[in-house]
Amino acid sequence: MIRFEQTFMDFLLHHQEKHNRTHHFLILMDAVISAAKRIQHYYLTGALQGNLGPAGSVNVQGENVMRMDQIAQEITIHYLKASGRVIHAVSEESKEIVQLNPPTTERARYFFYFDPLDGSSNIPHGLPVGFMFGIAKKSLDGPEDCHLRSGKDYIAAGMFVIPTGTFTLGLRDAGTWRFHIDETMTFVRPRRIILPRESDGWELSFNAANRGTFSERVQRWIAENEGRYAFRYLGALAGDFHRILANGGMFLYPAIVNHPNPKKNRPQGKLRLMYEGSVVAFMCREAGGMAVDESGRPILDIQPEDHHQRTALYAGSRDLVQDIAKVLKQQP
Ligand code: FDP
């Protein structure tokens, strides 16, 4: 007997029909899956094709752009545009908003926030990187002002860990789900992810080399708690958060406030709110967890003022995040 797995598209079709929704979101997600698979192909063959090196330019964040960043950006924009469903996209790789379809057309209804290849220090080695995205929908009732959306306004957020063939998607009020790629390059076998409540397997994930640059209270919290948990750090948010979702614990990228070279301090944090922090926070909420910023405020409540705004991030098991949030809320 041949064993057939439920595909991602079948899963999503059922979800949309169960909730009496249109097929527009399905069409958008088909484009996202096509983009992720194509990026994965370029990444897998990148070492042989000479695509894992620098591109020779600097992005909106002042970071060196890798050749793969450009390839992933081009691929994603192509498929988003072809879907006809996206009004505009905000990407780590583009300072300007990428206008795709006028909001006045009936079928263009989504805003797409993404980092096409996150975790750039892993690129030269071909090690895991992420394609992360959040999706918001235009207002169907009133005039659309295309404003900046906070994470609590997202309808979905997800990440591919490339090239491992795993895809995780949070759907508003419908859970966080994980899929795996099969031999026909189809994402299959939906499995709902709930962050484990038991602390036995919990992990902490942060860049330990930065430890002395965190605020004193964060350093103290780490010193008091780290002995209880395993420690893992891959250096690519999607991969690190993938583990946290499965094992529980917390990913943290705190504000850098005590760097020996004050010019290197990052009091706002390093990660980008709209296509990293809110994406992780959304999946976290749908998996029963939570995420806060450096002041202990829920990430999903932050109203962005800029598309490329940064944030500190503490995301994972609710009890652990609540515990550090208490410390973060205290006056320094
Ligand atoms: P990177 O700068 O290598 O692109 O967004 C950025 C990100 O990667 C995350 O994926 C990752 O979690 C973090 O930054 C890694 O930063 P450090 O190298 O400072 O640890």
Side-chain angles (χ1 to χ4, degrees):
M1 283 278 279
I2 300 175
R3 182 171 171 195
F4 293 98
E5 303 271 2
Q6 187 182 19
T7 67
F8 168 69
M9 278 302 156
D10 182 46
F11 164 85
L12 198 57
L13 183 63
H14 278 92
H15 173 79
Q16 294 296 96
E17 288 180 344
K18 189 166 123 197
H19 295 92
N20 260 334
R21 305 226 174 99
T22 68
H23 291 167
H24 293 294
F25 183 62
L26 210 70
I27 293 165
L28 170 60
M29 284 311 304
D30 184 53
V32 174
I33 295 277
S34 298
K37 289 199 291 196
R38 193 158 284 258
I39 294 169
Q40 162 134 329
H41 160 75
Y42 274 86
Y43 199 64
L44 274 172
T45 55
L48 297 180
Q49 301 297 331
N51 283 331
L52 299 185
S57 53
V58 169
N59 70 9
V60 54
Q61 323 288 347
E63 298 153 351
N64 289 325
V65 176
M66 305 294 287
R67 176 88 189 103
M68 267 312 300
D69 289 323
Q70 289 180 332
I71 292 172
Q73 167 81 355
E74 191 181 333
I75 290 172
T76 311
I77 292 296
H78 166 82
Y79 283 105
L80 292 181
K81 194 169 172 50
S83 80
R85 265 56 191 181
V86 180
I87 297 167
H88 68 227
V90 169
S91 164
E92 197 209 5
E93 297 308 322
S94 162
K95 186 171 184 326
E96 305 303 332
I97 293 174
V98 186
Q99 302 293 345
L100 294 169
N101 289 284
T104 42
T105 58
E106 202 259 321
R107 61 188 204 147
R109 47 170 63 205
Y110 302 108
F111 305 111
F112 195 82
Y113 315 116
F114 73 109
D115 185 349
L117 220 70
D118 188 60
S120 31
S121 69
N122 282 351
I123 296 177
H125 314 286
L127 288 171
V129 289
F131 168 16
M132 313 193 66
F133 62 90
I135 300 171
K137 192 159 100 177
K138 77 179 174 188
S139 157
L140 298 176
D141 306 326
E144 181 53 55
D145 61 359
C146 299
H147 64 273
L148 297 156
R149 301 294 172 99
S150 63
K152 66 174 181 315
D153 272 353
Y154 288 8
I155 58 162
M159 61 185 190
F160 297 85
V161 183
I162 292 172
T164 67
T166 56
F167 170 39
T168 309
L169 181 70
L171 290 164
R172 185 161 68 192
D173 301 329
T176 290
W177 298 81
R178 183 158 287 164
F179 305 85
H180 297 277
I181 210 160
D182 75 1
E183 64 282 6
T184 67
M185 297 294 282
T186 307
F187 284 97
V188 298
R189 202 184 289 180
R191 187 166 56 88
R192 189 162 184 173
I193 307 281
I194 310 270
L195 276 153
R197 286 199 71 92
E198 297 304 317
S199 61
D200 305 4
W202 284 6
E203 297 174 352
L204 291 181
S205 182
F206 61 94
N207 186 338
N210 289 348
R211 187 173 174 148
T213 69
F214 304 156
S215 70
E216 280 73 18
R217 55 191 171 175
V218 170
Q219 291 190 46
R220 215 174 310 121
W221 186 93
I222 292 174
E224 286 165 6
N225 287 276
E226 66 187 335
R228 296 185 209 142
Y229 311 113
F231 174 82
R232 300 281 182 269
Y233 191 69
L234 176 68
L237 177 59
D240 284 315
F241 185 62
H242 179 104
R243 285 188 69 105
I244 296 295
L245 272 178
N247 295 347
M250 182 165 63
F251 174 90
L252 49 157
Y253 206 110
I256 305 286
V257 290
N258 279 314
H259 200 284
N261 174 357
K263 285 195 186 139
K264 294 198 169 168
N265 277 335
R266 291 170 179 268
Q268 306 308 325
K270 174 186 180 189
L271 302 178
R272 277 50 63 108
L273 176 65
M274 295 196 77
Y275 38 86
E276 293 181 315
S278 291
V279 170
V280 161
F282 187 97
M283 285 186 280
C284 221
R285 181 191 72 194
E286 292 298 332
M290 71 181 289
V292 299
D293 72 357
E294 195 69 14
S295 60
R297 171 173 55 153
I299 294 277
L300 292 176
D301 288 347
I302 304 174
Q303 174 59 49
E305 286 165 13
D306 181 279
H307 288 100
H308 300 292
Q309 173 172 331
R310 293 179 189 265
T311 183
L313 177 66
Y314 300 80
S317 297
R318 181 167 289 274
D319 292 350
L320 205 54
V321 177
Q322 272 172 343
D323 191 55
I324 201 163
K326 264 190 264 156
V327 173
L328 294 165
K329 281 179 188 157
Q330 289 160 12
Q331 292 302 317

Short mmCIF file of all heavy atoms in Angstrom, two decimals, residues 118-121 207 233 235-237 251 253 270-272 276, ligand 1:
data_model
loop_
_atom_site.label_atom_id
_atom_site.label_comp_id
_atom_site.label_asym_id
_atom_site.label_seq_id
_atom_site.Cartn_x
_atom_site.Cartn_y
_atom_site.Cartn_z
N ASP A 118 17.52 34.91 6.25
CA ASP A 118 17.91 35.41 7.56
C ASP A 118 18.98 34.51 8.18
O ASP A 118 18.88 33.29 8.08
CB ASP A 118 16.65 35.41 8.44
CG ASP A 118 16.89 36.09 9.75
OD1 ASP A 118 17.23 37.28 9.72
OD2 ASP A 118 16.75 35.44 10.79
N GLY A 119 19.99 35.13 8.78
CA GLY A 119 21.07 34.33 9.40
C GLY A 119 22.27 34.31 8.49
O GLY A 119 22.86 33.26 8.24
N SER A 120 22.64 35.52 8.01
CA SER A 120 23.62 35.58 6.92
C SER A 120 25.00 35.02 7.26
O SER A 120 25.71 34.60 6.36
CB SER A 120 23.74 37.01 6.39
OG SER A 120 23.52 37.92 7.39
N SER A 121 25.35 34.97 8.56
CA SER A 121 26.69 34.44 8.86
C SER A 121 26.78 32.95 8.54
O SER A 121 27.87 32.39 8.42
CB SER A 121 27.06 34.69 10.33
OG SER A 121 26.27 33.89 11.17
N ASN A 207 23.33 34.64 21.84
CA ASN A 207 24.73 34.73 21.47
C ASN A 207 25.56 34.97 22.73
O ASN A 207 25.60 36.08 23.27
CB ASN A 207 24.93 35.87 20.46
CG ASN A 207 26.36 35.92 19.94
OD1 ASN A 207 27.28 35.41 20.59
ND2 ASN A 207 26.54 36.53 18.79
N TYR A 233 22.91 27.48 20.25
CA TYR A 233 22.85 28.69 19.43
C TYR A 233 23.43 28.42 18.06
O TYR A 233 24.59 28.06 17.92
CB TYR A 233 23.62 29.85 20.10
CG TYR A 233 23.36 31.19 19.44
CD1 TYR A 233 22.11 31.79 19.54
CD2 TYR A 233 24.36 31.85 18.73
CE1 TYR A 233 21.86 33.03 18.95
CE2 TYR A 233 24.12 33.08 18.13
CZ TYR A 233 22.87 33.67 18.25
OH TYR A 233 22.62 34.89 17.66
N GLY A 235 22.79 30.74 15.40
CA GLY A 235 23.10 32.02 14.77
C GLY A 235 22.17 32.36 13.62
O GLY A 235 22.43 33.29 12.86
N ALA A 236 21.08 31.62 13.47
CA ALA A 236 20.04 31.96 12.49
C ALA A 236 18.71 31.83 13.24
O ALA A 236 18.38 30.75 13.74
CB ALA A 236 20.06 31.01 11.30
N LEU A 237 18.01 32.96 13.33
CA LEU A 237 16.81 33.01 14.17
C LEU A 237 15.83 31.88 13.87
O LEU A 237 15.31 31.25 14.79
CB LEU A 237 16.15 34.39 13.99
CG LEU A 237 14.84 34.63 14.71
CD1 LEU A 237 14.99 34.47 16.22
CD2 LEU A 237 14.32 36.04 14.40
N PHE A 251 14.34 31.87 23.34
CA PHE A 251 15.34 32.53 22.50
C PHE A 251 15.42 33.97 22.96
O PHE A 251 14.39 34.62 23.16
CB PHE A 251 14.92 32.49 21.02
CG PHE A 251 15.86 33.29 20.15
CD1 PHE A 251 16.97 32.70 19.58
CD2 PHE A 251 15.65 34.65 19.95
CE1 PHE A 251 17.86 33.45 18.81
CE2 PHE A 251 16.54 35.40 19.19
CZ PHE A 251 17.65 34.80 18.62
N TYR A 253 17.45 37.77 22.21
CA TYR A 253 18.45 38.67 21.64
C TYR A 253 18.22 40.02 22.33
O TYR A 253 17.48 40.87 21.85
CB TYR A 253 18.34 38.79 20.11
CG TYR A 253 19.71 39.15 19.54
CD1 TYR A 253 20.46 38.25 18.79
CD2 TYR A 253 20.28 40.39 19.82
CE1 TYR A 253 21.74 38.56 18.33
CE2 TYR A 253 21.55 40.70 19.37
CZ TYR A 253 22.27 39.79 18.63
OH TYR A 253 23.54 40.10 18.20
N LYS A 270 18.72 44.23 18.04
CA LYS A 270 19.28 44.01 16.70
C LYS A 270 18.23 43.54 15.70
O LYS A 270 18.24 43.90 14.53
CB LYS A 270 20.38 42.95 16.77
CG LYS A 270 20.89 42.56 15.41
CD LYS A 270 21.87 41.43 15.41
CE LYS A 270 22.30 41.17 13.96
NZ LYS A 270 23.08 39.97 13.79
N LEU A 271 17.32 42.71 16.14
CA LEU A 271 16.40 42.06 15.19
C LEU A 271 15.34 43.05 14.71
O LEU A 271 15.03 44.03 15.38
CB LEU A 271 15.75 40.85 15.85
CG LEU A 271 16.76 39.81 16.36
CD1 LEU A 271 16.04 38.67 17.05
CD2 LEU A 271 17.63 39.28 15.23
N ARG A 272 14.80 42.79 13.53
CA ARG A 272 13.80 43.68 12.94
C ARG A 272 12.41 43.28 13.40
O ARG A 272 12.07 42.09 13.42
CB ARG A 272 13.90 43.63 11.41
CG ARG A 272 14.96 44.54 10.82
CD ARG A 272 16.33 44.43 11.44
NE ARG A 272 16.96 43.13 11.29
CZ ARG A 272 17.97 42.87 10.52
NH1 ARG A 272 18.50 43.83 9.80
NH2 ARG A 272 18.51 41.66 10.46
N GLU A 276 10.94 39.88 11.74
CA GLU A 276 11.60 38.89 12.60
C GLU A 276 10.85 38.79 13.94
O GLU A 276 10.26 37.77 14.24
CB GLU A 276 13.07 39.26 12.83
CG GLU A 276 13.91 39.16 11.56
CD GLU A 276 15.38 39.50 11.76
OE1 GLU A 276 15.69 40.52 12.43
OE2 GLU A 276 16.22 38.78 11.23
P1 FDP B 1 22.26 37.67 10.74
O1 FDP B 1 22.62 38.98 11.35
O2 FDP B 1 23.44 36.72 10.66
O3 FDP B 1 21.53 37.81 9.43
O4 FDP B 1 18.66 39.09 11.70
C1 FDP B 1 19.60 38.70 11.96
C2 FDP B 1 20.29 37.50 12.56
O5 FDP B 1 21.20 36.92 11.69
C3 FDP B 1 19.37 36.39 13.10
O6 FDP B 1 18.97 35.44 12.19
C4 FDP B 1 20.22 35.76 14.17
O7 FDP B 1 19.45 35.19 15.18
C5 FDP B 1 21.06 36.89 14.65
O8 FDP B 1 20.96 37.95 13.71
C6 FDP B 1 22.50 36.51 14.78
O9 FDP B 1 23.22 37.59 15.28
P2 FDP B 1 24.66 37.41 15.96
O10 FDP B 1 25.59 37.06 14.85
O11 FDP B 1 24.92 38.73 16.57
O12 FDP B 1 24.51 36.32 16.97
#
